[in-house]
Amino acid sequence: MTPMVKAEQVCKSFGALKVLKGITLEVDRGQVLCLVGPSGSGKSTFLRCINHLEQVNAGRLYVDGDLVGYREKNGKLYEMPPKAAAKQRRDIGMVFQHFNLFPHRTALENIVEAPTQVKGIKKADAVTRAKDLLDQVGLSEKANAYPAQLSGGQQQRVAIARALAMDPKLMLFDEPTSALDPELVGEVLSVMKNLAREGMTMVVVTHEMGFAREVADQLVFMDGGVVVESGKPRELLANPQHDRTKLFLSKLL
């Protein structure tokens, strides 16, 4: 079966700074992969490369068998036109640290916006779907609330519902709980756990080791732009093999 995500020797630099130095990994359909590691290790950059928010400098990235952001001809890569890349990106949902909701739109309107504007879905159908999604994330009573009237955890759950409204085949989460007060973290992780149970393929950058242990199929520890160690979460967390992994986990666990 074709992996949902396949990275082959992915490299990314910003000027002279090499951020990714040959990342190779796979995420199977329906799997949850958690990326952990210190700040600056390249986790978020790799996530942004998966949906071509950042262009890779070398290597190849595939989502559901399709090369991301490029066409290949005679062994050479040619970058897709922006419209084609944006169309490809529709199938990949992304949730950021900061919620990026439209402040002048209600929770419901935030969710309805992309399906109607990007996919051309009828407004009535998009509203019905948005109400279902708000119910799914436990916020059906907040449909007409504006972001300023919601807690951080509630805003992040609306952001997840907004990403799901596009019916993605892959969800990317970039430290979705790091900007939240500790007591609000659980409500967002609960929504993510439900998504995992329903079979959504997810790549999650996180520091929540409990979530990784409980939900992830695969845990990848990155440092300095490389994959240092990967494996089953419980095994890796209980018995890391690499000294760098041991040091990192000793500060977290």
Side-chain angles (χ1 to χ4, degrees):
M1 191 183 288
T2 306
M4 184 58 80
V5 179
K6 184 175 184 179
E8 297 177 343
Q9 293 297 318
V10 171
C11 297
K12 173 65 184 174
S13 298
F14 295 100
L17 179 65
K18 292 182 178 178
V19 179
L20 300 176
K21 303 170 186 173
I23 301 293
T24 296
L25 55 79
E26 290 186 5
V27 187
D28 288 333
R29 207 172 298 268
Q31 272 199 338
V32 177
L33 172 113
C34 280
L35 290 169
V36 302
S39 296
S41 58
K43 309 181 300 295
S44 295
T45 298
F46 177 66
L47 210 65
R48 291 171 67 84
C49 288
I50 293 175
N51 66 355
H52 204 57
L53 288 176
E54 298 289 355
Q55 300 171 7
V56 302
N57 299 121
R60 285 163 170 72
L61 256 170
Y62 300 87
V63 171
D64 202 15
D66 294 326
L67 188 61
V68 173
Y70 295 90
R71 299 261 183 258
E72 187 167 2
K73 194 174 180 182
N74 300 326
K76 278 191 170 182
L77 294 184
Y78 299 89
E79 190 169 1
M80 282 181 178
K83 267 192 175 178
K87 189 174 181 182
Q88 208 177 39
R89 204 177 287 128
R90 286 184 199 174
D91 293 328
I92 305 170
M94 187 154 185
V95 178
F96 300 88
Q97 284 183 37
H98 300 288
F99 329 117
N100 300 332
L101 298 177
F102 296 118
H104 59 293
R105 299 194 188 280
T106 64
L108 188 74
E109 289 167 346
N110 264 283
I111 298 167
V112 164
E113 180 82 5
T116 53
Q117 297 299 318
V118 178
K119 280 193 162 181
I121 291 171
K122 288 180 184 175
K123 178 81 177 284
D125 293 339
V127 167
T128 299
R129 172 81 170 130
K131 286 179 177 176
D132 286 344
L133 287 166
L134 280 171
D135 188 45
Q136 191 177 326
V137 300
L139 289 173
S140 51
E141 78 287 357
K142 298 291 186 183
N144 296 316
Y146 289 90
Q149 298 169 313
L150 301 173
S151 71
Q154 289 170 334
Q155 289 185 63
Q156 192 61 297
R157 284 186 279 157
V158 172
I160 293 172
R162 180 180 60 180
L164 293 172
M166 293 293 283
D167 291 317
K169 54 189 172 187
L170 170 67
M171 283 286 284
L172 309 176
F173 292 88
D174 189 7
E175 300 198 36
T177 60
S178 65
L180 301 179
D181 292 333
E183 66 268 23
L184 302 177
V185 168
E187 63 192 47
V188 173
L189 293 181
S190 177
V191 171
M192 293 169 65
K193 287 175 187 175
N194 287 337
L195 283 177
R197 284 189 207 106
E198 290 164 8
M200 176 62 75
T201 311
M202 295 156 62
V203 182
V204 184
V205 173
T206 187
H207 290 296
E208 301 291 338
M209 294 302 158
F211 173 83
R213 184 188 289 111
E214 184 183 343
V215 180
D217 300 285
Q218 191 181 165
L219 185 64
V220 171
F221 173 66
M222 285 179 63
D223 190 27
V226 301
V227 172
V228 176
E229 194 168 343
S230 65
K232 297 284 184 188
R234 290 177 189 274
E235 293 170 15
L236 196 152
L237 291 171
N239 189 27
Q241 300 299 303
H242 198 284
D243 287 344
R244 185 65 191 89
T245 317
K246 290 175 186 174
L247 180 63
F248 175 76
L249 292 176
S250 71
K251 294 176 180 176
L252 281 183
L253 300 175

